[in-house]
């Protein structure tokens, strides 16, 4: 809500503090101020003009020549195109060299040959929003309702010299959605007790209950329901001072009756409604649930179909309003209205919220009921509206208030211990100062046994417990007064757990291998969710996604990486080496939290090395990614425990260039080239991917590292080349060499792979370099030859190798 | 001509030849020619037999002197020649050091993870544990345990992706407060934890909104932890991330799970508080929300609010990174354009 500085000042002495300064101070002690609005900002030289006479423009059928008194010695001529211009009007005149809305400069000029000394303005032309301009002046110039001194600036007359402080409230501070609440807040800050005008209703002899009967069927949803009748009202525009309050707050003035309900809404934060008494078919008001599919035409002209969850006000037969949301068209206040029923009520916030959502109908009233209102002022607000209708609509209020239901909440009594305040805040605020803050807030309090017994007024329904009172003290004492310390007490040893450390190591290793880290979305398309997943679970879907692109939880990370690849390819970035660490989500049971499996995946596409002055381009291949994987596993001490299986591969992978990664009988993940058909479909270059289940890595027993001294005796190297059938793998051969190599064989390196006609079809030649080492003595030639013979024999017999 | 004169002459000729030599091979020839057994000096010395016994040693000594002098000159010349050859080789081997180095690609950590890692390290140094929590949460932990019952208006503040009536994508990392409070054994000391991770809101992605972003929750609970401790802790964070000169400012706010609740502003790092476009001419930038843990949150988790209390805060690495590096579009974090990601290769701390 926008809080008028001038209106506020009528309740609280603001000591002429600058509005911006006031706003800054309020932001620091209570409510964030979004902005301070100056309605006359950028406008100048706009004054009251008195139109002395008019005559039609000789060369135009719609322009009028006006002789206007602008407070100078002589009247000036202004050409005006508005249809509603007439003699003896007091109007808004933009003088030559003035600035109007949109920073438009008005110049002295001629219109179709006739001099014009400025411009007669509509409200829109001086910056009013179309939505707040009274209907009568929407398509023409504004006319002051009374004579005003010509030549004076218009801004004070139209409330444009006011400053509107826009309170951006949090949900707990709806008590400031009315001027009274705002006055209490600002008053507490300034140590000024707000003063409100006394409500005085004259009332006629006719009692309210002789005019109306009321019953409330849903008392639990309607804590208060109060009615009063104001008879013989004279419908007319409200006085300007009242219209100003409304339009400065974004509300269009309609007529005095409607305006009064809106004014009291702004004043008290209490929504009111006015019915045309004579348009109610019976005078038996009943508040009840709507029937399913019961129709109502609301004030905005829309026909709405209600449900039994909606509360309605009925005239005994048909709904005449959706309770707390919007009135019905049939009982609308019109220019013919003579007698008015005023309603002041409290409706259950949750019920109103659901109704407002169901009908997508959010009004000033529904917003306030949703957020809560001051239930202590429901009666007073009704009387205040009646008083105003007596004053500005010549109405006669009925005697007494007709109560459908009234159940006031109990004022909370809370203990506030100054020791607690200082214990929580880390301050040394005195008991007296705390008492002062309670007084500033208008909270009754008594000091008993070193602590305050505080009575919380109903207007502060956000305060439930002592901690809430501590917050009041803290913010009004000032957070800038708070010392800065660090927690003391028992020291704690911070740290990362094993999983966090493993994740860090995995990321570090991949970064060191030249892969960039990405973060993709965990919510993906339906068809992406379970791709690249060996054993997919049922899909975990959002019940109400925002878009189909992010509708299902991912079970793999590759889909995201492929999207990232496509994004980069579309932007001429073709060397893509990326990885992501994140969770994949596997359904356990529909109604249970899914298993969140820590996972890492990598994707490599394009060149490993680009062509440069020093080397040729080299496209990535399987073994680049495998190298990165080997480094990662080595870091974790698991390289020699992972096996590469080539059966039961994912259908998304190239069947001849992929492997399933196993640790014992646990599935660790996969590595391989994207299937050529998939590459073709997605228009991708050759792309290699890998994905690892980090939980499997975490589950491995960690072997402690025991170091060995570097060998002191010379090593012996022997090379060996052999020809084998094509399908024999390096892993099989290396395995045979290792098992038969004896104790001195330290490691086996493959250094050549060759296929060609020279060695026969379906054959290949492999060459290995074997390192032998005796840690405690020099190796003899015999020992090495013996080992080599054993290896060769094994290779010959086991895999039919031909040793070259 | 006497022997002595002959020797003098030989010396003069020899030294001249050595001086004028062109390469190592020629020098070697000169060495053999002058000092060899058939060389002129040896020849001259053969004539010594004609000299008197008195003169012989004198001439012999003189001849040796000349021999050594010539040998020395040759040695010196060898060094000159070597030096020359080395110079030539070095000249020959000279490369253009301004050509670019051989590219060795290293990866760049995602800027959000750099931000998170950095803050984790900071808090671990302050004695905090790092605790992970589930991204798919229950309504119970995400809302109820955080003092946000059903129909609470605060639920409107956080539009939620529901999976079932009870399961949802967590809207904040705060449910980890409840989970940790439930499991922490206070007899073993205070609880000091941070919990980073992804969170989700039902938003349409645009420059300032993302349906997925990150939060780091912080929670400290002990028998006497004060709001002043919160202020001091947040000052440490602000200065660590945004520079040592930063001031912080606390403003009242509202979160259902803290009481009192505050928003935290830092003095603008771009203008130092003078007012500029970064801080929208206020001198301050809102960076995070925090407060003292609401007694209801403690109670729900089985912790006695009469004995224990403390503070909690929630900060956004996305927002921090956007502010610190002038990133205007939050989607850049998740589109993973390599040109965007790789610029953070530079040490960013």
């Amino acid at each position: 809500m926008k809080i008028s500085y001038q209106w506020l000042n009528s309740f609280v002495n603001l000591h002429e503090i600058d509005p911006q300064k006031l706003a800054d101070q309020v932001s620091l002690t209570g409510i964030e101020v979004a902005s301070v609005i100056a309605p006359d900002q950028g406008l100048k030289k706009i004054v009251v003009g008195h139109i002395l006479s008019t005559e039609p423009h000789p060369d135009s059928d719609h322009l009028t020549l006006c002789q206007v008194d602008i407070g100078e010695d002589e009247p000036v001529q202004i050409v005006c195109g508005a249809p509603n211009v007439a003699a003896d009007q007091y109007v808004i005149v933009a003088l030559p060299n003035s600035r109007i809305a949109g920073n438009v400069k008005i110049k002295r000029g001629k219109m179709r040959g006739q001099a014009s000394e400025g411009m007669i303005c509509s409200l829109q032309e001086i910056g009013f929003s179309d939505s707040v301009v009274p209907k009568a002046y929407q398509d023409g110039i504004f006319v002051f309702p009374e004579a005003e001194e010509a030549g004076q600036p218009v801004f004070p007359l139209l409330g444009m010299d006011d400053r509107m402080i826009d309170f951006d409230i949090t949900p707990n501070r709806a008590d400031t959605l009315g001027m009274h609440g705002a006055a209490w807040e600002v008053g507490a800050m300034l140590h000024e007790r707000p003063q409100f005008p006394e409500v005085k209703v004259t009332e006629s002899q006719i009692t309210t209950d002789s005019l109306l009967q009321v019953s409330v069927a849903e008392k639990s949803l309607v804590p208060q329901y109060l009615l009063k009748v104001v008879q013989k009202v004279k419908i007319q525009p409200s006085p300007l001072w009242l219209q100003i309050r409304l339009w400065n707050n974004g509300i269009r003035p309609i007529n005095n009756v409607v305006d009064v309900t809106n004014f009291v809404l702004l004043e008290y934060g209490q929504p009111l409604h006015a019915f045309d008494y004579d348009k109610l078919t019976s005078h038996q008001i009943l508040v009840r649930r709507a029937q399913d599919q019961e129709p109502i035409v609301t004030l905005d002209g829309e026909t709405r179909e209600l449900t039994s969850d909606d509360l309605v006000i009925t005239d005994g037969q048909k709904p005449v309003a959706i309770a707390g949301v919007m009135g019905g068209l049939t009982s609308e206040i019109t220019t013919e209205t003579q007698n008015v029923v005023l309603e002041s009520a409290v409706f259950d916030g949750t019920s109103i919220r659901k109704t407002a959502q169901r009908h997508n109908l959010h009004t000033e009233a529904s917003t306030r009921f949703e957020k809560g209102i001051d239930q202590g002022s429901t009666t007073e607000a009704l009387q205040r509206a009646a008083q105003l209708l007596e004053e500005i609509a010549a109405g006669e209020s009925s005697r007494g208030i007709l109560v459908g239901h009234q159940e006031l909440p109990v004022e909370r009594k809370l203990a506030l211990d100054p020791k607690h305040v200082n214990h929580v805040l880390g301050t040394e605020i005195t008991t007296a100062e705390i008492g002062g803050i309670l007084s500033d807030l208008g909270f009754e309090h008594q000091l008993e046994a070193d602590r305050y017994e505080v009575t919380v007024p109903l207007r502060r329904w956000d305060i439930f417990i002592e901690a809430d009172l501590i917050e009041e003290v803290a913010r009004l004492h000032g957070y800038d007064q708070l010392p800065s310390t660090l927690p003391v007490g028992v020291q704690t040893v911070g740290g990362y757990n094993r999983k966090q450390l493993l994740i860090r190591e995995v990321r570090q290793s991949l970064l060191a291998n030249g892969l960039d880290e990405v973060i993709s979305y965990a919510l993906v398309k339906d068809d992406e969710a379970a791709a690249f997943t060996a054993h997919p679970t049922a899909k975990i879907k959002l019940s109400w996604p925002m878009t189909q692109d992010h509708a299902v939880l991912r079970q793999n990370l590759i889909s995201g990486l492929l999207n990232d690849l496509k994004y980069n390819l579309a932007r001429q970035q073709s060397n893509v080496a990326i990885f992501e660490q994140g969770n994949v989500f596997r359904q356990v049971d529909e109604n249970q939290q899914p298993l969140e499996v820590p996972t890492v995946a990598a994707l490599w596409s394009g060149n490993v090395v680009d062509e440069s002055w020093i080397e040729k381009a080299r496209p990535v291949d399987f073994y680049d990614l495998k190298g990165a994987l080997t480094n990662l596993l080595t870091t974790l001490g698991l390289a020699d425990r992972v096996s590469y299986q080539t059966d039961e591969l994912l259908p998304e992978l190239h069947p001849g260039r992929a492997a399933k990664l196993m640790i014992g009988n646990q599935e660790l993940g996969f590595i391989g080239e994207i299937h050529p058909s998939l590459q073709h479909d997605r228009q991708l270059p050759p792309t290699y991917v890998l994905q690892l289940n980090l939980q499997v890595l975490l589950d491995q027993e960690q072997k402690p590292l025991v170091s060995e001294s570097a060998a002191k005796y010379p090593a012996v190297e022997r090379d060996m080349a052999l020809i084998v059938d094509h399908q024999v793998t390096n892993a099989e051969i290396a395995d045979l060499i290792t098992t038969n190599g004896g104790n001195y064989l330290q490691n086996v390196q493959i250094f050549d792979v060759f296929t060609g006609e020279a060695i026969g079809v379906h054959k290949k030649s492999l060459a290995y370099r074997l390192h032998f080492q005796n840690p405690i003595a020099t190796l003899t030639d015999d020992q090495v030859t013996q080992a080599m013979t054993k290896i060769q024999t094994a290779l010959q017999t086991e895999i039919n190798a031909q040793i070259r | 001509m006497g022997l002595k004169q002959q020797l003098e002459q030989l010396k003069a000729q020899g030294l001249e030849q050595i001086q004028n030599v062109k390469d190592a091979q020629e020098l070697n020839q000169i060495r053999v020619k002058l000092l060899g057994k058939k060389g002129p000096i040896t020849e001259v010395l053969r004539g010594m037999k004609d000299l008197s016994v008195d003169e012989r040693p004198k001439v012999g000594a003189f001849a040796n002197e000349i021999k050594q002098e010539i040998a020395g000159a040759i040695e010196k010349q060898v060094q000159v020649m070597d030096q020359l050859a080395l110079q030539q080789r070095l000249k020959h081997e000279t490369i253009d050091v301004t050509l670019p180095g051989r590219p060795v690609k290293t990866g760049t950590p995602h800027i959000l993870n750099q931000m998170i890692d950095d803050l984790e390290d900071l808090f671990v140094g302050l004695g905090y544990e790092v605790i992970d929590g589930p991204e798919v949460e229950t309504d119970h932990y995400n809302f109820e345990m955080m003092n946000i019952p059903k129909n609470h208006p605060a639920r409107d503040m956080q539009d939620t992706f529901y999976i079932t009536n009870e399961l949802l994508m967590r809207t904040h990392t705060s449910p980890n407060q409840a989970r940790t409070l439930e499991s922490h054994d206070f007899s073993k000391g205070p609880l000091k934890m941070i919990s980073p991770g992804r969170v989700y809101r039902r938003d349409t992605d645009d420059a300032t909104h993302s349906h997925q972003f990150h939060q780091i929750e912080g929670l400290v609970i002990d028998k006497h932890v004060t709001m002043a401790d919160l202020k001091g802790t947040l000052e440490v964070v602000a200065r660590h991330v945004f520079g040592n000169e930063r001031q912080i400012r606390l403003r009242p706010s509202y979160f259902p799970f803290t009481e009192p609740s505050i928003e935290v502003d830092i003095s603008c790092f771009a203008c130092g508080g003078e007012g500029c476009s970064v801080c929208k001419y206020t001198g301050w930038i809102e960076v995070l929300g925090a407060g003292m843990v609401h007694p209801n949150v403690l109670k729900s988790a089985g912790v006695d609010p009469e004995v224990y209390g403390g503070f909690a805060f929630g900060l956004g690495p996305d927002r921090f990174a956007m502010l610190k590096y002038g990133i205007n579009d939050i989607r850049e974090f998740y589109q993973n354009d390599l040109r965007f990601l790789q610029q953070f290769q530079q040490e960013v701390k």
Side-chain angles (χ1 to χ4, degrees), chain A residues 353 424 468 471 482 485 492 496 500 504 507 511 514 516-517 520 522 543-544 568 580 583 593 596, chain B residues 105 107-108 113 117 120-121 127 130 135-136 156 162 198 202 212 227 229 231 235 259 336 338 342:
Chain A
R353 184 162 75 127
V424 169
D468 297 324
E471 177 167 48
L482 218 55
T485 53
T492 50
Y496 307 99
Q500 289 153 357
R504 281 184 169 223
R507 287 171 52 220
L511 288 167
D516 294 317
E517 187 178 32
S520 314
S543 58
W544 192 32
N568 279 288
E580 175 168 14
N583 288 332
Q593 283 173 277
E596 298 186 8
Chain B
K105 171 92 164 61
T108 304
N113 280 336
D117 288 350
E120 282 182 358
D121 291 346
V130 184
E135 292 173 48
V136 177
D156 289 350
Y162 276 92
R198 299 185 196 217
R202 202 171 174 284
Q212 167 183 295
M227 202 159 182
D229 295 337
K231 190 177 181 183
E235 244 163 35
E259 188 72 38
N336 299 310
L338 294 178
Q342 286 171 354

Side-chain angles (χ1 to χ4, degrees), chain A residues 325-343:
Chain A
V325 180
M326 192 178 266
L329 197 59
T330 55
S331 55
E332 185 186 17
I333 305 296
T334 65
T335 45
E336 279 81 52
T337 300
Q338 292 176 347
N339 303 301
V340 172
V341 181
L342 285 176
E343 171 206 273

Side-chain angles (χ1 to χ4, degrees), chain A residues 592-696:
Chain A
Q592 262 182 46
Q593 283 173 277
L595 213 57
E596 298 186 8
V597 187
T599 304
V600 72
L603 175 149
W604 209 334
S605 184
N607 286 336
V608 175
V609 176
D610 264 336
E611 187 180 334
S612 69
W613 69 276
I614 201 168
E615 56 196 331
K616 288 212 163 58
R618 186 171 73 74
V620 66
D621 62 32
F622 179 89
Y623 299 104
D624 288 308
L625 194 56
K626 187 177 173 185
L629 172 62
T630 307
N631 284 347
L632 188 161
L633 294 170
T634 306
T635 307
L636 303 175
L638 293 168
D640 55 358
R641 280 152 75 180
V642 173
S643 63
Y644 292 73
Q645 293 191 1
T646 52
D647 50 349
E648 294 169 20
L649 292 174
L650 291 170
E652 291 91 343
L653 297 180
H654 189 310
R657 293 185 177 177
K660 186 160 80 169
L661 305 169
M662 303 292 292
I663 296 188
N665 56 7
Q666 280 180 291
E667 204 168 323
L668 171 62
F670 56 84
I671 180 170
E673 184 178 343
I674 301 279
H675 198 290
S677 320
L678 188 59
Q679 288 181 17
H680 180 262
D681 291 349
R682 302 264 204 113
Q683 295 171 297
L684 298 174
T687 298
Y688 298 86
V689 293
L690 79 82
Q691 182 174 296
L692 305 179
N693 178 333
L694 297 181
Q695 190 57 50
V696 171

Side-chain angles (χ1 to χ4, degrees), chain A residues 737-780:
Chain A
I737 295 175
T738 311
T739 20
N740 293 287
N743 288 339
Y744 303 134
L745 179 61
Q746 293 296 307
N747 83 61
V748 182
Q749 258 180 307
I750 181 160
F751 68 90
D752 189 41
V753 180
F754 175 75
T755 52
E757 280 180 25
I759 54 167
V761 199
H762 303 309
K763 294 276 183 190
K764 62 182 173 186
S765 164
L766 304 165
Y768 292 86
R769 182 158 298 155
L770 285 60
H771 296 255
F772 294 91
Q773 174 99 63
N774 181 349
I776 52 167
T778 304
L779 269 179
T780 66

Side-chain angles (χ1 to χ4, degrees), chain A residues 1-12 164 175-186 194 196 245 249 263-269 368:
Chain A
M1 177 173 165
K2 297 185 185 71
I3 304 300
S4 151
Y5 183 92
Q6 292 176 359
W7 198 355
L8 191 65
N9 195 47
S10 72
F11 302 132
V12 182
M164 304 303 294
D175 60 296
T176 59
L177 284 177
M179 289 305 299
H180 284 197
W184 277 109
E185 177 61 33
V186 173
F196 303 109
R245 297 296 185 225
N249 232 296
F263 179 82
V264 175
L265 168 92
L266 294 178
E267 203 176 20
Y268 285 83
R368 283 180 172 76

Side-chain angles (χ1 to χ4, degrees), chain B residues 220-246:
Chain B
V220 175
I221 301 288
D222 198 358
K223 285 181 179 158
H224 190 195
V225 177
T226 69
M227 202 159 182
D229 295 337
L230 171 61
K231 190 177 181 183
T233 302
L234 295 176
E235 244 163 35
V236 170
V237 176
R239 290 179 181 158
H240 179 79
V241 177
F242 295 104
N244 266 332
E245 289 72 45
R246 297 288 74 74

Side-chain angles (χ1 to χ4, degrees), chain A residues 56-271:
Chain A
H57 190 294
D59 297 318
S60 164
D61 57 1
H62 68 278
L63 293 177
T64 308
L65 304 181
C66 309
Q67 301 306 315
V68 185
D69 173 6
I70 53 164
E72 304 284 322
D73 294 346
E74 295 292 325
V76 295
Q77 172 170 291
I78 300 176
V79 181
C80 181
N84 63 333
V85 68
D88 207 28
Q89 287 175 335
Y90 291 86
V91 295
I92 302 165
V93 173
L95 299 174
N97 298 320
S98 62
R99 295 263 175 194
I100 61 167
N103 204 22
V104 174
K105 191 174 177 183
I106 299 301
K107 289 179 196 154
R108 181 176 283 120
K110 278 190 175 178
M111 291 181 82
R112 297 200 185 176
Q114 295 292 330
S116 188
E117 300 279 317
M119 180 169 116
I120 302 177
C121 296
S122 68
L123 289 174
Q124 292 94 322
E125 283 164 335
I126 59 167
F128 278 57
S129 157
D130 205 34
S131 64
V132 302
V133 173
K135 285 259 157 69
Y137 303 120
Q138 230 171 356
D139 300 316
I141 55 167
F142 175 76
V143 181
F144 286 98
E146 283 166 33
E148 306 288 354
E149 189 190 325
Q152 65 170 316
V154 298
F155 308 125
L157 301 175
L158 297 171
M160 296 176 77
D161 62 338
D162 200 357
R163 295 295 173 261
M164 304 303 294
I165 302 171
D166 192 359
F167 277 20
D168 190 4
I169 64 153
T170 49
N172 61 323
R173 291 307 306 276
D175 60 296
T176 59
L177 284 177
M179 289 305 299
H180 284 197
W184 277 109
E185 177 61 33
V186 173
M189 181 183 87
L190 299 175
H191 316 293
E192 288 284 344
R193 176 61 64 106
Q195 302 293 333
F196 303 109
E198 197 190 340
V199 177
K200 260 193 188 154
V201 202
T202 307
E203 295 190 339
S204 67
Q205 292 306 312
I206 304 165
T207 60
T208 310
D209 60 6
S210 68
L211 298 168
L212 280 177
Q213 273 88 57
V214 66
S215 58
V216 175
E218 291 287 343
K219 289 199 166 59
S220 65
L221 298 180
V222 190
Q224 296 194 55
Y225 195 80
L226 314 177
L227 296 173
K228 194 174 184 85
V229 179
V230 181
Q231 294 176 300
K232 300 180 187 165
V233 294
K234 193 171 160 239
I235 302 289
Q236 57 189 17
S238 302
L240 207 48
W241 64 263
L242 198 157
Q243 294 194 38
I244 287 170
R245 297 296 185 225
L246 299 186
W247 70 42
N248 272 349
N249 232 296
I251 299 171
R252 189 202 308 277
I254 310 282
N255 59 48
N256 49 2
V257 173
V258 176
D259 291 354
V260 160
T261 60
N262 284 328
F263 179 82
V264 175
L265 168 92
L266 294 178
E267 203 176 20
Y268 285 83
Q270 166 70 55

